[in-house]
């Protein structure tokens, strides 16, 4: 059965459609985890449809301090998650030079400062070209990767030493969009499993400085674009209207 992307919830004809399988493109808010999005949608479906269980999952984690596209699958569409996760990702990243943080982003405070006066647009563009293609990347300690059954970020936040193993990633496109006040805006098109925070860290090292990720927005996963995504608030409002319509029809 073909699983459709749902951009207009009000067009869903029957409650059972959610169990049969739907894909939602969600614009994840800042400070929300990807699981927060899943939990919110699952809760709305369970309470609104008066059901105890329904499968809901996301196709690829997006960091809490990032915004943008998260694909959420319900019911039988959750079987598509691995296939969706394998698709390439598009990001707009902000990389701040001259300092590092333990988490490689703004979750933690700056721990060291570095010179950055030697870095300009030309130096960044030349260095970005060196990252293109297949790379061995070490993920951040502050990540959802499991080590001996524990999430790495739980260990890192407790101050425990976390040893991360390098993994293969591919950068298909890296384009400098702007550079001012020692902050670069970069378009990134990359393979699954790529940590943009690690990329920011590595870019700083390659330029003889330090760097961390100061902003991130995911705009595409394969052919799925943020342009078609809905906010959590929009999902909420449309779902409320739909539930009221189904109650009036005696469907729930």
């Amino acid at each position: 059965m073909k699983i459709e992307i749902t951009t207009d919830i009000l067009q869903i004809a029957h409650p059972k459609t959610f169990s049969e399988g739907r894909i939602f493109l969600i614009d994840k808010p800042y400070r929300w985890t990807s699981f927060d999005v899943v939990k919110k949608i699952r809760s709305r479906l369970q309470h609104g449809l008066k059901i105890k269980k329904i499968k809901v999952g996301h196709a690829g984690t997006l960091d809490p301090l990032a915004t943008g596209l998260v694909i959420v699958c319900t019911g039988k569409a959750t079987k598509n998650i691995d296939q969706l996760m394998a698709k390439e990702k598009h990001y707009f990243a902000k990389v701040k030079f001259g300092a590092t943080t333990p988490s490689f982003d703004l979750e933690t405070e700056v721990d060291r400062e570095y010179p950055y006066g030697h870095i300009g647009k030309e130096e960044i563009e030349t260095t970005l070209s060196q990252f293109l293609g297949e790379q061995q990347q070490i993920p951040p300690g502050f990540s959802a990767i499991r080590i001996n059954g524990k999430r790495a970020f739980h260990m890192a936040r407790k101050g425990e030493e976390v040893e991360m193993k390098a993994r293969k990633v591919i950068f298909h496109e890296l384009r400098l969009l702007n550079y001012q006040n020692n902050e670069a805006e970069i378009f990134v098109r990359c393979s699954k499993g790529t940590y943009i925070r690690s990329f920011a860290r590595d870019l700083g090292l390659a330029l003889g400085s330090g760097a961390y990720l100061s902003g991130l927005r995911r705009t595409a996963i394969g052919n799925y674009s943020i342009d078609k995504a809905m906010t959590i608030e929009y999902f909420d409002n449309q779902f409320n209207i739909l539930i009221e319509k189904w109650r009036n029809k005696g469907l729930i």
Side-chain angles (χ1 to χ4, degrees):
M1 183 182 74
K2 183 180 178 181
I3 306 297
E4 298 180 1
I5 301 172
T6 303
T7 56
D8 184 359
I9 299 175
L10 299 182
Q11 295 303 310
I12 298 177
H14 197 279
K16 67 180 181 181
T17 305
F18 287 101
S19 294
E20 290 174 349
R22 284 283 172 164
I23 295 176
F24 296 96
L25 306 183
I26 302 295
D27 189 346
K28 187 189 80 65
Y30 185 67
R31 291 283 182 186
W32 281 49
T33 68
S34 298
F35 183 69
D36 286 338
V37 174
V38 168
K39 186 167 61 174
K40 172 70 173 180
I41 292 177
R42 182 192 294 125
S43 176
R44 288 306 328 266
L45 296 181
Q46 287 175 328
H47 289 92
L49 304 178
K50 307 299 182 184
I51 54 178
K52 289 185 177 180
K53 289 184 179 181
I54 183 168
K55 289 184 177 180
V56 182
H58 67 77
T61 300
L62 188 58
D63 288 338
L65 299 189
T67 65
L69 185 59
V70 171
I71 299 178
V72 176
C73 302
T74 73
K76 294 179 181 178
T78 54
K79 295 178 181 178
N80 294 38
I81 284 177
D82 287 345
Q83 179 183 346
L84 292 168
M85 287 180 67
K87 296 181 180 296
E88 68 177 31
K89 314 294 192 299
H90 296 192
Y91 298 94
F92 285 93
K94 291 184 178 181
V95 178
K96 190 80 169 180
F97 295 100
T100 56
T101 71
S103 60
F104 306 165
D105 66 0
L106 290 170
E107 181 182 339
T108 54
E109 298 291 329
V110 167
D111 57 358
R112 289 189 65 182
E113 295 185 352
Y114 299 81
Y116 59 85
H118 61 287
I119 299 174
K121 289 183 179 179
E122 184 177 340
E123 287 77 15
I124 295 173
E125 288 174 341
T126 298
T127 305
L128 286 177
S129 67
Q130 299 169 9
F131 279 82
L132 291 171
E134 185 176 311
Q135 303 283 329
Q136 289 293 317
Q137 184 187 75
I138 299 176
F142 286 74
S143 65
I145 294 173
R146 290 188 182 275
I147 299 177
N148 298 325
K150 297 180 180 180
R151 296 288 189 186
F153 65 80
H154 286 312
M155 300 167 65
R157 286 170 184 162
K158 291 178 181 178
E160 297 178 24
E161 188 172 339
V162 182
E163 183 178 351
M164 309 301 292
K165 295 182 180 179
R167 55 172 63 184
K168 184 183 79 171
V169 300
I170 302 172
F171 290 99
H172 301 291
E173 183 179 356
L174 292 166
R175 184 159 30 97
L176 179 65
L177 304 175
N178 189 33
Y179 182 59
Q180 59 182 358
N181 299 324
N182 63 298
E183 185 176 62
E185 294 182 30
I186 303 169
F187 171 73
V188 182
R189 182 165 63 88
C190 58
S191 67
K192 71 169 185 176
T194 304
Y195 280 88
I196 309 302
R197 284 181 288 143
S198 288
F199 162 70
R201 181 267 318 270
D202 294 342
L203 182 60
L205 285 172
L207 283 161
S209 182
Y212 60 88
L213 192 67
S214 54
L216 185 66
R217 182 163 177 78
R218 185 158 68 192
T219 56
I221 299 175
N223 294 325
Y224 298 93
S225 171
I226 192 66
D227 296 338
K228 300 292 185 181
M230 65 183 81
T231 64
I232 289 293
E233 292 78 12
Y234 184 82
F235 177 90
D236 253 345
N237 292 335
Q238 281 212 320
F239 190 69
N240 287 337
I241 295 171
L242 188 64
I243 290 300
E244 186 64 27
K245 183 173 72 172
W246 284 346
R247 282 175 183 155
N248 292 336
K249 289 184 177 181
L251 295 178
I252 53 176

